[in-house]
C-alpha cells in the first residue's frame, strides 16, 4: 500500500491568521478571550484554543461586558458588528480578508442600487455574514433550481457574489446560467471562491487520478473540506472525510493499493501526520507528495495584535 499526499492541502492564509489572532489575544490579554462562532470549522483547533482559554459563543449576549471578542474567519453581518461595538467589547476581527473582499463588493453594488444574488449554502455563517451586509436587496441561491424561484424587481440592476468555499465547477455552472437569464448581471472583478479553495480542489482532482481511495482530513461543518470529498468522488475515487485518524475504519483500506490524503483549509498538518501513521500501522510502505502549486500568501494580523 502506497500513500500520496495532495499538494497544496491544509491551512490557508486566512485560517493561519484567524488562529494566530486568538492565540495572540490570549497571550496579550490573558483568558478568557471570547470568540464568536468556531474560529475555523475544525474540532481539533477549537478544542486546543478552548484549553488555552478561548470561549466560543454563538450569541453576543453570552459575552460579559468589557470582554475581548474575536470574530471568526467566516465574518459577521453588519448588525452583529454594530451590536458588538454598541456593547463595548474590545474587538479583534479575524474575518478572512478574502471574505471581507466579498463584503466590500456587496457594499459597492448596493451603492450602485443593484440587487445582489449570493451563491452559497443556507445557514453557513459566512453566507449569513454576506447576506447581512445589506438590509435589503439580497437573494440567496444554493443551486440551479433556486434560480427559478428568484423574485428580482429590476433584472438589469443585478449583481452576484459567492461564498468563498464552494465547488468551483458547480458554481461556474450556476454563474453561466445566471448570465444567460440576466445578461446585464454584474460580476466581481476577481472570483469570490478563494485561491485556497480553488487550489485544494485542483490538487484533489489530480490526486483522484493517481489513487483509488482518498481520505480528507476535515470537520463535518467545514464547507471547503466537504467539497474536497465530493471532488474526489466525482473523479472516481472512494472518499471519506475524517476529523482524525481514530475515525478510519480498517475495512475502508481493503483492495486499495494507492491511498491519497488531503486536508481542508481549516485542518492542521498534525492530523494529517496522524492519519499517515495510522496507515503505516495498517501496512502502508511509502509516502510521497504530489507536485503542486506553491502558496506564499500571508495576511497581516488585525490591528492591535501585530
Ligand atoms: O467556510 P468553511 O466551512 O469551509 O470554513 P472553514 O473554517 O472550514 O475554512 C476556512 C474558512 C473560511 C472562511
Ligand atoms: Fe480565507 Fe479562503 Fe482560507 Fe476561507 S478558505 S479563510 S476565504 S483563504
Amino acid at each position: 500500500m502506497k500513500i500520496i499526499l495532495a499538494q497544496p492541502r491544509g491551512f490557508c492564509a486566512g485560517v493561519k491568521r484567524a488562529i494566530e489572532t486568538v492565540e495572540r489575544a490570549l497571550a496579550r490579554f490573558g483568558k478568557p478571550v471570547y470568540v464568536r462562532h468556531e474560529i475555523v470549522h475544525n474540532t481539533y483547533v477549537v478544542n486546543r484554543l478552548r484549553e488555552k482559554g478561548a470561549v466560543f459563543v454563538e450569541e453576543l449576549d453570552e459575552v460579559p461586558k468589557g470582554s475581548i471578542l474575536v470574530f471568526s474567519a467566516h465574518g459577521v453581518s453588519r448588525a452583529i458588528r454594530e451590536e458588538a461595538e454598541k456593547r463595548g467589547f474590545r474587538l479583534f476581527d479575524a474575518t478572512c480578508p478574502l471574505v471581507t473582499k466579498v463584503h466590500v463588493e456587496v457594499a459597492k453594488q448596493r451603492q450602485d442600487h443593484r440587487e445582489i444574488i449570493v451563491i452559497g449554502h443556507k445557514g453557513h455563517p459566512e453566507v449569513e455574514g454576506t447576506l447581512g451586509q445589506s438590509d435589503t436587496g439580497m437573494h440567496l441561491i444554493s443551486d440551479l433550481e433556486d434560480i427559478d424561484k428568484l423574485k428580482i424587481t429590476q433584472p438589469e440592476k443585478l449583481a452576484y457574489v459567492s461564498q468563498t468555499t464552494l465547488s468551483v465547477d458547480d458554481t461556474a455552472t450556476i454563474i453561466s446560467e445566471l448570465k444567460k437569464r440576466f445578461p446585464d448581471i454584474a460580476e466581481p472583478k476577481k472570483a469570490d471562491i478563494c485561491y485556497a479553495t480553488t487550489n485544494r480542489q485542483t490538487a484533489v482532482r489530480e490526486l483522484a487520478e493517481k489513487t483509488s481511495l482518498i481520505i480528507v482530513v476535515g470537520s463535518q461543518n467545514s464547507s471547503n473540506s466537504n467539497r474536497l470529498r465530493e471532488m474526489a468522488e466525482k473523479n472516481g475515487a472512494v472518499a471519506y472525510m475524517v476529523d482524525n485518524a481514530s475515525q478510519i475504519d480498517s475495512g475502508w483500506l481493503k483492495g486499495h493499493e494507492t491511498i491519497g490524503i488531503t486536508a481542508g483549509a481549516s485542518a492542521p498538518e498534525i492530523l494529517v501526520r496522524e492519519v499517515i501513521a495510522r496507515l503505516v500501522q495498517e501496512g502502508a510502505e511509502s509516502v510521497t507528495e504530489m507536485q503542486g502549486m506553491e502558496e506564499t500568501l500571508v495576511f497581516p494580523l488585525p490591528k492591535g495584535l501585530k
Side-chain angles (χ1 to χ4, degrees), residues 11 15 19 38-48 74 217-222 225 242-243 264-268 271:
F11 279 6
V15 163
I19 295 172
E38 292 189 348
I39 186 72
V40 297
H41 289 150
N42 187 269
T43 311
Y44 176 92
V45 169
V46 167
N47 287 342
R48 218 184 97 257
H74 317 96
V217 183
S219 290
Q220 290 299 327
N221 58 345
S222 167
S225 306
V242 296
D243 245 312
S266 47
L271 299 177

Side-chain angles (χ1 to χ4, degrees), residues 15 40-41 73-74 99 124 126 163-165 221-224 265-266:
V15 163
V40 297
H41 289 150
H74 317 96
V99 174
H124 188 283
E126 181 188 326
Q163 190 178 339
T164 55
T165 51
N221 58 345
S222 167
S223 168
N224 78 86
S266 47

Side-chain angles (χ1 to χ4, degrees), residues 124-154:
H124 188 283
E126 181 188 326
V127 172
E128 299 290 314
T130 298
L131 286 170
Q133 295 307 305
S134 170
D135 292 336
T136 55
M138 304 295 285
H139 306 268
L140 172 65
I141 62 169
S142 301
D143 51 34
L144 281 174
E145 287 73 53
D146 285 345
I147 300 178
D148 294 329
K149 300 177 207 149
L150 281 168
K151 291 194 175 71
I152 305 293
T153 41
Q154 271 186 292

Side-chain angles (χ1 to χ4, degrees), residues 1-6 204-217 228-229 231-233 235-242 247-262 275 278-279 282 284:
M1 196 161 73
K2 286 192 255 169
I3 301 173
I4 306 180
L5 304 176
V204 81
R205 180 191 282 131
E206 205 182 313
L207 188 63
E209 286 168 15
K210 305 177 197 294
T211 57
S212 55
L213 169 69
I214 291 182
I215 294 176
V216 180
V217 183
L228 295 180
R229 181 185 39 76
M231 175 63 101
E233 280 169 352
N235 287 277
V238 177
Y240 297 98
M241 194 171 77
V242 296
Q247 293 178 347
I248 294 171
D249 182 335
S250 304
W252 297 348
L253 313 177
K254 284 208 180 87
H256 295 284
E257 278 177 11
T258 314
I259 300 177
I261 305 177
T262 187
V275 167
R278 170 71 196 275
L279 296 186
E282 299 275 354

Side-chain angles (χ1 to χ4, degrees), residues 21 28 31 50 59 78 92-93 127 132 143-144 151 162 215 217-218 251 255 271 275 280 295-296:
T21 298
R28 185 156 304 180
K31 55 186 180 184
R50 197 178 275 129
E59 304 297 337
R78 278 174 176 245
F92 294 102
D93 187 0
V127 172
D143 51 34
L144 281 174
K151 291 194 175 71
S162 90
I215 294 176
V217 183
L271 299 177
V275 167
V280 167
E295 293 177 342
T296 53

